[in-house]
Amino acid sequence: MTTPTSSDGSSSSGRPSPDHDPWAPPSSAAGGAEVPRLPYPLPTAQPRNGMGITALVLGLVGIGLGVFILLFWISWLPALLAVIFGSIGLSQVRKGLATNRAMAVSGLVMGIVGLLIAAGTGVFMVVTVKHAVDHARAKVKEVKREAKEEREEAAAEEKARHLPFGKSYTFGDGLKVTVAKPTPFTPDAFANGHAKGNKAVQVTITVVNTGKERVSIETGLPDVNDADGASAQLVIDGSGRQKVLTGYLLPGRKAVGKYAFSLPPTAADRAEVEFSPDVMRWDDAYWSGSTR
C-alpha cells in the first residue's frame, strides 16, 4: 500500500519521503512556505587584526626607546616597522579583512611620532657631541696657549735675570739690585781662601728699596763662578773691607755689600755672580762679564 505524499515531499504520516532531496529548493507549489534552515551554520572568515596590533606595539616600543637618549639609535627601527604594519593594517580594514582600524591608525601615528623623536634625538645628540668636542678642543687650545705663554714668560723672566755687570734687576719685593764689575782685591797677610798665584777680586753689590715698606734682606753670600764655570773661593781677611748685606732696608734707602773672591789665573778673565736679596722667596739673578 502506497502512502500519499504532499507537495513538499513528506508523507501523510509526517515522515519525509525516501525519495525527497532535503537540499533541493522548495517547489513552486509551496508558495510562501518557510525555507528550511541548513543543518549547520556556514563558516565565517576571521578578521585579520594582527597587523594593526603589531603596529600599535611597535609604535609604543619606538616612542619608548626614543625617549631614552642612549637608545635613540635603535628606536627608528620599531617606529619604521610600526608605520609599515599600520599602513598594511589600514589597507586590510578598507578591504574588509580587518576590524581594528583604531589600532592600525594609532600604530601608524605612533610610528611616525617615534621616527620624529628618533630624528630629533639624533640631531640633539649630534649637536651636543659637536658642542662637547668643540669645547674640548677650545679647552685644549687654551691650555696649550696658556702653557706657551707661561713658557715664554718664564723664558723672558729667565732672560731678564741674566744681566751684564753694572745693570740693575728689581726683585718682587721692590729691592733693586746692581752688581758692579769686579775690581782687583789685595788680601792681607792673614787672608783665608786665597791661594798664591790666584787673582783676587772684590764684588760690590748695591741694593735699593724702591718700595713703600721696609724689606728684610736675607741674602746669605753671593756665588761667584769663574770663566770655566767653577765656583770661586770666598776670601776672608782682617782688613775690614768686606761687608755682608743683612737686616732691614727702609723705603728709599740703600745698602752696599762687598765680598772678595779668589779666581785661578787661567780662568780669571771672566766671572759670573749669582745673588738674591731673599734666597727663600726669590730666584737668583745673574751678572756676568769680564774682570779685566
Side-chain angles (χ1 to χ4, degrees):
M1 178 176 173
T2 304
T3 302
T5 60
S6 64
S7 60
D8 60 356
S10 61
S11 66
S12 59
S13 63
R15 295 192 182 101
S17 173
D19 299 330
H20 175 68
D21 183 4
W23 301 102
S27 62
S28 58
E34 182 181 358
V35 178
R37 290 179 294 178
L38 298 177
Y40 54 87
L42 292 174
T44 58
Q46 294 295 325
R48 301 177 182 177
N49 295 333
M51 289 296 179
I53 296 173
T54 304
L56 180 62
V57 174
L58 290 174
L60 290 173
V61 173
I63 292 177
L65 292 177
V67 172
F68 294 96
I69 296 179
L70 297 179
L71 299 177
F72 81 95
W73 58 276
I74 60 173
S75 65
W76 66 271
L77 181 57
L80 178 61
L81 292 176
V83 173
I84 295 174
F85 290 144
S87 300
I88 297 175
L90 284 178
S91 176
Q92 291 178 343
V93 169
R94 286 193 292 269
K95 294 178 181 180
L97 301 177
T99 59
N100 58 344
R101 177 183 179 83
M103 283 189 179
V105 172
S106 299
L108 177 62
V109 173
M110 287 184 179
I112 295 174
V113 172
L115 288 175
L116 293 176
I117 291 176
T121 308
V123 172
F124 173 77
M125 286 298 296
V126 170
V127 173
T128 301
V129 171
K130 183 178 183 301
H131 177 73
V133 171
D134 292 342
H135 178 73
R137 288 177 177 174
K139 190 66 177 178
V140 170
K141 289 182 179 179
E142 182 180 358
V143 171
K144 289 183 177 179
R145 178 181 57 80
E146 291 178 353
K148 181 180 179 181
E149 290 178 353
E150 290 179 358
R151 289 195 300 269
E152 292 176 349
E153 183 178 351
E157 175 65 20
E158 182 69 18
K159 183 178 180 180
R161 289 189 294 111
H162 287 75
L163 307 100
F165 289 129
K167 295 293 183 178
S168 300
Y169 179 80
T170 302
F171 289 84
D173 54 5
L175 293 182
K176 181 180 178 180
V177 178
T178 305
V179 177
K181 179 180 178 180
T183 57
F185 178 82
T186 303
D188 62 17
F190 304 99
N192 182 23
H194 179 66
K196 185 177 180 180
N198 283 3
K199 178 181 179 181
V201 295
Q202 179 174 277
V203 175
T204 301
I205 300 176
T206 303
V207 180
V208 179
N209 186 357
T210 62
K212 297 181 180 180
E213 298 180 358
R214 71 172 189 172
V215 180
S216 175
I217 302 178
E218 300 178 2
T219 64
L221 297 173
D223 290 329
V224 178
N225 301 318
D226 60 24
D228 292 334
S231 295
Q233 182 67 39
L234 178 68
V235 177
I236 300 176
D237 66 4
S239 63
R241 291 172 291 174
Q242 293 140 343
K243 182 180 180 182
V244 177
L245 290 169
T246 187
Y248 288 95
L249 189 62
L250 297 176
R253 302 299 295 272
K254 176 176 69 173
V256 178
K258 295 183 178 182
Y259 309 87
F261 291 88
S262 178
L263 300 173
T266 58
D269 56 336
R270 292 187 62 83
E272 179 184 67
V273 179
E274 301 178 26
F275 179 80
S276 172
D278 190 337
V279 294
M280 300 299 296
R281 296 179 61 191
W282 313 112
D283 292 333
D284 287 339
Y286 303 84
W287 287 262
S288 61
S290 174
T291 60
R292 295 180 180 179

